[in-house]
Amino acid sequence: MTATLLRTADELHARTRAGRRAVVMTMGALHEGHATLVRTAREIAGPDGEVVVTVFVNPLQFGKGEDLDRYPRTLDADLKIAELAGADVVFAPSVDEVYPGGEPQVRISAGPMGERLEGAVRPGHFDGMLTVVAKLLHLTRPDVALFGQKDAQQLALIRRMVRDLNFGMEIVGVPTVREADGLALSSRNRYLSPKERRTALALSQALFAGRDRHAAQEALRARAREVPATHARAEALSAIGESRAAADAHAVAKAVPGPGNPASVRAAARLVLDDAARLDPPLVLDYLALVDPSDFTDVDEDFTGEAVLAVAARVGTTRLIDNIPLAFGTLGAAS
């Protein structure tokens, strides 16, 4: 399959469509994470459908002092990666095509959710992101659009926008793709020196520590439900043999089996990040948060349901984000 490079919306609209159109939006510098999105889009669109990959570095979502000028632009390589992954079209419009007449006077507001976490660190970022996503959805006219779960707050806001403003297409989230060492794939990873990359591994390691702590708690609580609420419960829980879990056995044995302990999940992740802050070069934490994905507010201690453990930090001059999904209470631990 040969992917067609198009520069204008008129060219895209002139194409004959038979099946569903699936769109993957990117800022270029494609990697295996993007390729996974494209392959998933190909499966959804089917052999009769069309997969469109957009490549557009959006100036509205870069704040003052951020890396707009040095953001990698590798269109020739992007075209080949998209093509190999199953794209029919790469739509790479100019700034003038997307924003005729200059920056738009009317923009999408991300609202309160857009002011939390990433929005607090990068004011205005999500307004710019939603504005360009809205523009590209109108320009590409998809039946379904796919976004990576690594940008969890972005995905949540896009879903909210499409639902609240009746855009009329399906939004699909695709799980984060990671390197063999656990580092989440990102176009910004190429900025990291070997020493910086070793420090950057703390982001995923912290998330995995929180996840493992959560899994241990869930195992304890599952066992607690099977053992009478007596001293025998503590002994049974201790017999599981997991050192951290066993240390909590007596406390859990006394508790009524129910939701997990968000505070201990945060604490387990924070220990890893605190250690990384003492490395050379150090990891400089922006935030670590355990949030409700519906509005990105912090979960409380009796929270039940799906949650996101999210982290953002700087290593050298490179800023990275990562997250994993968890589930508390009757849903059990997310994989």
Side-chain angles (χ1 to χ4, degrees):
M1 177 184 294
T2 301
T4 301
L5 176 63
L6 300 179
R7 296 286 192 172
T8 70
D10 286 344
E11 292 174 316
L12 184 59
H13 298 165
R15 289 177 63 87
T16 301
R17 294 176 58 177
R20 302 178 80 198
R21 174 177 285 171
V23 167
V24 174
M25 295 186 189
T26 83
M27 293 206 301
L30 302 191
H31 50 63
E32 180 56 27
H34 297 109
T36 299
L37 285 165
V38 178
R39 286 192 290 268
T40 306
R42 181 79 271 162
E43 293 174 5
I44 290 172
D48 297 326
E50 182 180 60
V51 175
V52 177
V53 176
T54 70
V55 174
F56 180 68
V57 180
N58 178 33
L60 296 191
Q61 64 195 80
F62 288 81
K64 184 178 180 180
E66 292 187 338
D67 58 351
L68 173 61
D69 291 339
R70 72 167 183 150
Y71 195 87
R73 291 162 172 82
T74 56
L75 183 57
D76 289 343
D78 294 343
L79 185 61
K80 184 169 290 294
I81 290 172
E83 182 175 284
L84 290 173
D88 299 293
V89 174
V90 171
F91 177 52
S94 67
V95 173
D96 288 340
E97 177 72 11
V98 177
Y99 301 122
E103 291 190 6
Q105 297 299 302
V106 177
R107 306 188 186 195
I108 301 290
S109 170
M113 195 197 312
E115 298 171 358
R116 300 172 186 135
L117 298 188
E118 282 298 290
V121 177
R122 307 174 67 190
H125 166 72
F126 285 125
D127 290 355
M129 178 277 294
L130 288 179
T131 298
V132 77
V133 169
K135 293 275 288 185
L136 289 171
L137 288 174
H138 290 314
L139 291 173
T140 59
R141 303 174 183 175
D143 300 288
V144 57
L146 297 88
F147 298 87
Q149 291 178 358
K150 185 178 81 70
D151 296 293
Q153 193 171 3
Q154 170 180 285
L155 175 60
L157 281 162
I158 291 169
R159 282 177 165 154
R160 174 71 68 174
M161 176 184 73
V162 166
R163 181 170 65 251
D164 288 355
L165 301 183
N166 303 102
F167 270 58
M169 72 276 299
E170 180 184 1
I171 302 298
V172 173
V174 178
T176 301
V177 179
R178 299 184 180 278
E179 304 273 12
D181 58 11
L183 187 68
L185 285 174
S186 169
S187 300
R188 290 184 170 93
N189 289 352
R190 68 187 66 196
Y191 300 155
L192 298 169
S193 70
K195 289 182 68 175
E196 288 171 342
R197 184 186 171 87
R198 285 193 291 272
T199 295
L201 289 175
L203 274 78
S204 56
Q205 290 168 351
L207 297 178
F208 299 158
R211 178 197 62 193
D212 293 347
R213 181 63 169 153
H214 176 60
Q217 289 175 162
E218 290 293 319
L220 283 169
R221 292 180 182 278
R223 182 64 68 90
R225 285 187 285 269
E226 300 170 1
V227 180
T230 64
H231 182 70
R233 183 191 286 176
E235 294 177 348
L237 295 172
S238 297
I240 292 177
E242 199 279 333
S243 58
R244 281 188 176 177
D248 274 356
H250 184 65
V252 175
K254 286 186 172 182
V256 176
N261 185 349
S264 68
V265 172
R266 294 185 189 97
R270 187 64 188 244
L271 282 174
V272 176
L273 298 170
D274 287 346
D275 286 343
R278 294 186 284 270
L279 296 176
D280 179 24
L283 181 141
V284 180
L285 184 65
D286 277 348
Y287 61 77
L288 170 71
L290 184 60
V291 297
D292 182 336
S294 68
D295 59 8
F296 270 69
T297 57
D298 289 330
V299 303
D300 54 31
E301 288 305 293
D302 61 356
F303 180 81
T304 298
E306 296 182 359
V308 172
L309 182 61
V311 64
R314 299 176 188 274
V315 182
T317 60
T318 304
R319 186 174 184 276
L320 301 170
I321 64 173
D322 200 354
N323 72 85
I324 55 172
L326 298 174
F328 287 83
T330 58
L331 294 177
S335 59

